[in-house]
Amino acid sequence: MSIAVGSSIQVSLCILPILVLVGWAIGQPMIMFFDTFETITLIISVLLVNFAIGDGRTHYLEGFILMMAYVMIALVCWFYDPVS
């Protein structure tokens, strides 16, 4: 389990800076500044995953709960209008 979690962390820490550089290259302004909504969403998703894999085993219902949480996050992000 530590291999899967460690790999996910390494990929995310590598992909985010690369996406910022790609954004600069294509002229799309991308910064690593997250507003309150994005920060809270990240914290909630990290806590959900921590509770799901904390005991070292899982079953289909925990996976379903995670999938539904991510669907809800995606829907909220789709309709979220950040105030700039």
Side-chain angles (χ1 to χ4, degrees), residues 13-73:
L13 288 175
C14 178
I15 295 292
L16 187 61
I18 289 173
L19 287 178
V20 170
L21 293 175
V22 169
W24 286 342
I26 64 172
Q28 177 69 28
M30 297 175 68
I31 58 173
M32 293 180 69
F33 173 74
F34 301 115
D35 65 355
T36 307
F37 170 72
E38 293 166 340
T39 305
I40 291 172
T41 303
L42 179 66
I43 291 170
I44 289 172
S45 63
V46 167
L47 288 175
L48 280 173
V49 171
N50 184 31
F51 289 139
I53 65 172
D55 59 354
R57 53 195 171 106
T58 186
H59 53 81
Y60 75 96
L61 189 56
E62 288 177 344
F64 181 74
I65 290 171
L66 286 174
M67 288 189 329
M68 290 301 106
Y70 292 139
V71 166
M72 288 188 293
I73 289 171

